[in-house]
Amino acid sequence: MEIVTDATATNLPACVATIGCFDGVHRGHRYLIEQVHNIAKAEGLASCLITFTRHPRQVLDANYQPRLLTCLSQKIECFEHTPIEYCVLLPFTKELSLLSAREFMEILHNVYHVQTLFVGYDHHFGHDQGEGYQEYCRYGKELGMRVMQSKALVEEGVSISSTLIRSCLQDGQVKQANSYLGYSYYLNGRVVDGRKLGRTLGFPTANIQPLCAEKQLPVSGVYAVYVYLGKERYAGMLNIGSCPTVNDDNQAVSIEVHILNFLGDIYEELIKVEFVDYIRPEVKFDNVEELTQQLQRDRVAVKNLLNQKD
């Protein structure tokens, strides 16, 4: 897949394209991408995704803080595993937001050489959000651009979407979120210095600082995870929360992972964790002894889930 920017847009061949945020690059998005790929192949054109370098609402509202399933680098990584040939990184600006749908489609046709535009089943663009697929088809005909509408991926009456997946993560339904994504939800971060309380309980942890501050975190609680350090994969037990048993109630949320069967100093190293399943919510225990006993039970549960041996 080739990345296209404003500076290299002239190199983009005539293409079939779709446009959107593609947050999560989930199975619904991949279903759309497959439709784009198939039409492009049938028409003898290149296949292209057009996505924004920033969430549009961030540009329009300085106070908006998105909760992303995938930051830009992760989206591109996911796109690499699809049959798409070109990915246009389009900077979203206030000037762009003021364009009408027809003006925007004219840019797609004249600058990015879009011959066929696939419109998401629930996607709208242009300043007038009241316009929809019928208007896009009319503008496309005027511009010499074919406009097609994608089908939604529906399972058991549910349309797979980024909003649905975020809701699953907020409810602790990690396995369901992973099913909709088509891969395990993951977090990239750096191991930073922490309070080192875990080692006093027999559960040393790596404190993770996410590389993407806008990344959606699953609900507070304990999780079974896989931990990637370089090319090595380990089983892990991860906690998201304020650790209320040993910290003040107003302690900031932390992400700490206890890596099973691992000894080593990994401070400042990059780490990736894949969420496999939700174990339990975070609880404030009466004392450290009760907490330690629960952590021991949690470790057994994680080992069973991940088929780990002592």
Side-chain angles (χ1 to χ4, degrees):
M1 183 186 74
E2 184 176 332
I3 300 296
V4 178
T5 63
D6 285 346
T8 58
T10 54
N11 299 327
L12 187 63
C15 62
V16 177
T18 188
I19 184 167
C21 288
F22 302 105
D23 188 25
V25 196
H26 52 66
R27 288 174 50 225
H29 292 139
R30 291 167 192 259
Y31 183 58
L32 167 60
I33 289 169
E34 192 66 29
Q35 294 172 63
V36 170
H37 168 72
N38 290 338
I39 293 296
K41 187 175 180 180
E43 296 185 354
L45 299 172
S47 58
C48 178
L49 290 177
I50 302 172
T51 194
F52 303 113
T53 54
R54 293 183 66 197
H55 195 288
R57 280 187 62 184
Q58 282 181 288
V59 177
L60 302 177
D61 180 1
N63 296 319
Y64 178 68
Q65 296 181 332
R67 283 291 162 257
L68 302 176
L69 300 174
T70 45
C71 60
L72 183 60
S73 62
Q74 291 173 336
K75 278 200 295 187
I76 293 173
E77 182 181 348
C78 290
F79 290 154
E80 294 281 3
H81 297 288
T82 73
I84 218 71
E85 296 172 274
Y86 294 90
C87 175
V88 173
L89 300 182
L90 185 62
F92 191 87
T93 62
K94 289 186 177 180
E95 291 75 18
L96 189 66
S97 72
L98 296 175
L99 295 178
S100 67
R102 192 189 189 287
E103 289 170 332
F104 182 61
M105 289 175 64
E106 191 171 355
I107 291 174
L108 296 182
H109 185 61
N110 295 339
V111 177
Y112 297 103
H113 312 144
V114 177
Q115 304 302 306
T116 299
L117 177 65
F118 247 97
V119 179
Y121 72 97
D122 62 348
H123 186 67
H124 295 270
F125 52 81
H127 183 65
D128 185 354
Q129 291 295 299
E131 294 182 323
Y133 178 65
Q134 296 302 322
E135 287 78 16
Y136 304 155
C137 287
R138 187 172 74 251
Y139 302 148
K141 189 174 182 179
E142 294 170 358
L143 294 167
M145 179 196 301
R146 182 183 180 193
V147 178
M148 302 179 69
Q149 190 170 38
S150 71
K151 299 176 183 178
L153 180 59
V154 179
E155 291 186 347
E156 299 180 353
V158 176
S159 177
I160 296 176
S161 69
S162 303
T163 300
L164 175 63
I165 294 168
R166 277 190 286 271
S167 178
C168 288
L169 293 174
Q170 290 164 359
D171 291 339
Q173 298 175 10
V174 172
K175 292 180 72 173
Q176 187 64 67
N178 290 346
S179 173
Y180 292 145
L181 283 166
Y183 59 89
S184 294
Y185 190 66
Y186 66 97
L187 175 70
N188 292 324
R190 187 176 299 279
V191 179
V192 296
D193 204 6
R195 298 179 66 182
K196 301 182 176 63
L197 292 173
R199 67 179 59 182
T200 66
L201 306 177
F203 291 85
T205 60
N207 197 308
I208 303 172
Q209 180 178 323
L211 296 183
C212 176
E214 297 164 343
K215 182 80 171 178
Q216 170 77 56
L217 294 181
V219 68
S220 293
V222 179
Y223 294 83
V225 299
Y226 282 117
V227 179
Y228 294 83
L229 292 167
K231 296 181 179 180
E232 298 297 322
R233 188 181 82 165
Y234 303 89
M237 180 172 73
L238 180 141
N239 184 80
I240 298 175
S242 58
C243 305
T245 305
V246 293
N247 289 330
D248 296 332
D249 289 339
N250 60 357
Q251 182 76 18
V253 171
S254 63
I255 308 165
E256 300 177 64
V257 62
H258 170 65
I259 307 174
L260 276 60
N261 303 319
F262 177 83
L263 293 174
D265 183 356
I266 55 173
Y267 286 119
E268 297 301 321
E269 290 195 24
L270 295 177
I271 190 171
K272 174 183 175 181
V273 293
E274 285 182 348
F275 292 86
V276 178
D277 207 351
Y278 180 66
I279 304 298
R280 64 171 177 85
E282 189 175 48
V283 177
K284 183 174 183 178
F285 295 93
D286 291 335
N287 52 61
V288 172
E289 289 73 22
E290 287 186 8
L291 170 61
T292 303
Q293 291 171 6
Q294 182 60 55
L295 290 175
Q296 291 169 348
R297 291 191 290 270
D298 293 339
R299 182 158 55 186
V300 171
V302 168
K303 285 183 177 181
N304 291 335
L305 273 168
L306 304 181
N307 299 315
Q308 296 294 304
K309 297 180 180 179
D310 290 323

